[in-house]
Amino acid sequence: MSGIRRKPGVCGMVMAVILGFLVVSPGDAPAAEVYKVGGIFSITGPASFLGDPEKKSMEMAVEAINARGGVDGRMLEAVIYDSEADPTKAVNAVNKLIHKDGVIAIVGPSNTPPSLAVLTYAERAGIPLISCAAGIGITQPVKPWVFKTAQSDVLAVAAIYQDMQREGLRRIGILTVANAFGESGAQQLKAQAAQHGIEIALAESFGAQDTDMTAQLTKLRSQNPDALVCWGTNPGPAVVAKNARQMNLGMPLYQSHGVASPKFIELAGEAAEGLRLPAGKILVADLLSADDPQKAVLQDYIRSYAARYQQPASGFGGYAFDAVHLLAKALEGSGGDKQKIRQSLEQIRGHVGVSGVFNFSATEHNGLGAEAFVMVKIEKGKWALIP
Amino acid sequence: MQEILQYLFSGLTNGAIYAVIALGFSILFNATELINFAHGEFVMLGALCLVTLWSGLHLPLPLALLLSAAAVGGVGFLFQRLAIHPVRKPDHIVLVIITVGASIFFRGLGMLLWGKDAFAVPSFTRKASVEVAGAVLTSQSLVIIGTVGVLALVLHFFFRRTLTGKAMEACAISRRAAWLTGIPAQGMVLLAFVLSAVIGGLGGLIIAPITMCSYDMGTVLGLKGFCAAMLGGLGSLWGAVLGGLLLGVLESLSVGLINSGLKDATAFLLLLMILYVRPSGLLGNRSVQRF
Amino acid sequence: MVRPSLHNLVPYAFFVVLVGSAGLWVDNPYYFQILSMIGIHALLALALNLLMGYAGQISLGHAAFYGIGAYASALLSARYGLSPWLALPCAMLAAGLVALVVGYPTLKLSGYYLGMGTLGIGMIVFIVFREWSSVTGGASGFVGIPPLGLGGRALLDVRSYYFLVWAVVLLALCGSQRLIRSRVGRALRSIHDSEAAARAVGIPTSRLKLQVFVLSAVMSAVAGFLYAHMVGFISPDTFSFIVSVKLVTMVVIGGMASIWGALLGAALLTLLPEVLHAFAEFEMVVYGLILMTVMIFLPQGLTRGILDIYALRRRQSERAARPAD
């Protein structure tokens, strides 16, 4: 019990650490001349394939806007934090952005659970938030301050089912990754099946880090479906494609827009041949007809991203790229008034972005239509447009 | 029937991977009574080294395999010297937390060195797959299952027939007594670390072609390997192999016969049941140090 | 029973003054958010410390009880319209019952096998949160958890929430301290030192272990309740295996068998990521290095370690002072 006497010291230490943090943390001295825009992306962690290009695209978009003179003569400044796809970290980050950095709007988070976690904070503080996640629950029901730029799963599923109808496929098996992305995909696949005359024979799932999906594929094959839909993000779907090839599954395999990046072909190799998936137009930018409104924007984005980072661009970074440009448009003439930014965001029509053409309104905070997706297939290691 | 066979093949492939990882846990535990939570990261390092050496630098396969395994062994050596050895009062839980820190460190290092994207590695053999009664077994699965068998035999021989192996086993029973009889106990601990790291790396090498390799692949594999080692009985060589195969088969059967979403839950539930009946694993018999 | 002496009250008075003055001095909601998060983690670390530090039973699945508390309270208040204050006892009961049922067979295991058993429980509970989507909202999470209300108005104000969280922490601190200093506490520590010896002198070790396990689970459920109603959203990832490991790390790094250590560990591991933002891509490497370095050089944990250094310094300075006399 000799330690008792020293306890105040230990207790003081605890508090000293905490208070030290409060004092040491750099204070906020908002420069009046810049618009601070926050970003919350899963730069590391399991969703870094989203967050990393998003961070880079946001920085690139901000630089481009500043290079042409900023917005109303004021420069943009990006303050970006890493959420690691963790809702708690995202909540801390959103509070830091709003209350410490004093941002006027926030781009991100990259995934659905962190987005759902932070949106009440944005609502309470009255800060426009443009999420980059796919989940439909983010903008439906509509929340005044919350927008999103990523295409919803609803559209991706519709694109797949329309393609199946054209191909005459009726009975399908679905295989989804056991996380928020796969779950949302499975829900939409089930919800829209009836209206497209499609029957789901069996729904299975796999873990995001599983090394072998043969068991699931075997079970699906035993139901004799016409086709399979795999819903996940790299690397799982690439393993599914490989396993399907090894088992000579012999039925069309559809993938989701979660793998719509050049990386997928590299991972799945030969097994990627013949796969079909819905994708943003960015994958087939060069194949688009000259009168496609997005063609110029896409080619410009691809070129500048590759030049800036020596990496091929993907549609994922486009979510943040679009968000920043939408925000810049809404900022014009707002003088930094958040309510005005929110209102002008709602009034944006016909904004041509990387992910599609955005038409926001008071009741539509995602603003993308069915034409945001095209169906592509993989032929000889290249993306090909399915007409 | 054909399906059951396919589930078994899939389960054995996954199980053999778990078994290799479990072997690494067991060997280290045998000599040090320590569970290394960074073991999964050795698997990751092995796989990513192979990516660099084979797919990147186009070294001949055997050389690339050898160098990768050696590199991971080197990391294990440094880890023991720099992080485990200097601890003044080696309490088990303290060492375990050091390995937790190490796992985060290695993952961060892997991300810095190899980036955040996954890599694919081609199969070691030309022949794609063999068919048995309608069920497909890939050639890489055969490589994996073969490796486990050979590895287990070699280790069995090492511990039963060689002086070093016996000395290591003696350290496991009582480090102090072993030291008194003139066995360099510290050296044995170091050797166990290196050996365990090499085996972890080997696990990474053989699974690289069947799955995708990325900096964060180690966590889940390490966890499954740990479960397999516990299931078989910590410190037991054949227990680790049995535990791994059993865990793999249980998982794949629960996908086939129950529900793939509950795959891990079913496997863990059975694992708990087994532990309740046999509190020190299937083949384990020594009572285990408490925290 | 230990008689309440002035000595015992000093640290608490110190604690209350610090928490109070921080609460009045700080006015940035971000800091309140972080401080409340530290409080929630401190509560979890205290709960786990009772089990690990004093009874010597490791749990690698404590996030499960944290999650059960959060989900039970979220379900009852958001879906069934129960007042969160009524949901709280239900959540505590739920976590306690689960702990009782799974603890009974699991606590018969020891050492690493107990770690494995609790890990398995944590995984199973996590998978239930994820797969039972009609009830829990699945992997996408559970939205629309109502904020807490007090006296008819919502506790949206971050400052009030901060005070609420730390009041609970204070309660838990006092409770833990009382328990540890009691007969039961001594019995628990005897289990930590040698279970066989404890049993030999007639301590009902199995029952005691189970009781402290249940108590620890109930405390974790309270932390889950506080988290759920603060953020208004929960998803399975917040209660995963990684979180369980992080809790163990908090306890060990703070110093096992020290209630203030649990507090320190929780504070450090919650603040570290916030501070390490500056390292961007290097964050993980630095975090891992810090964890390893602390454990290598202060294997007894921060509290004991720093006290040791302090004592050493004092001895040295005394020795240095002596010749001068």
Side-chain angles (χ1 to χ4, degrees), chain C residues 13 25 81 95-96 118 121 127 160 166 177 192 214 227 229-230 239 252 255 263 265 281 283 297-298 300 315:
Chain C
W25 172 57
T118 46
I121 291 164
I127 292 168
S160 333
W166 282 92
Q177 188 84 320
H192 185 231
V214 171
Y227 177 86
H229 292 281
M230 177 174 78
F239 313 108
V252 179
L263 219 60
E281 307 275 294
E283 187 190 319
F297 293 105
L298 305 172
Q300 301 284 312
R315 269 202 304 277

Side-chain angles (χ1 to χ4, degrees), chain B residues 177-232:
Chain B
W179 179 72
L180 284 174
T181 59
I183 294 169
Q186 277 303 327
M188 287 299 141
V189 169
L190 183 59
L191 182 64
F193 255 94
V194 174
L195 203 58
S196 153
V198 168
I199 291 171
L202 188 69
L205 299 179
I206 55 173
I207 67 166
I210 71 159
T211 186
M212 304 294 153
C213 313
S214 63
Y215 76 95
D216 57 355
M217 70 189 285
T219 318
V220 173
L221 287 171
L223 189 65
K224 295 279 174 69
F226 172 59
C227 295
M230 303 301 294
L231 186 58

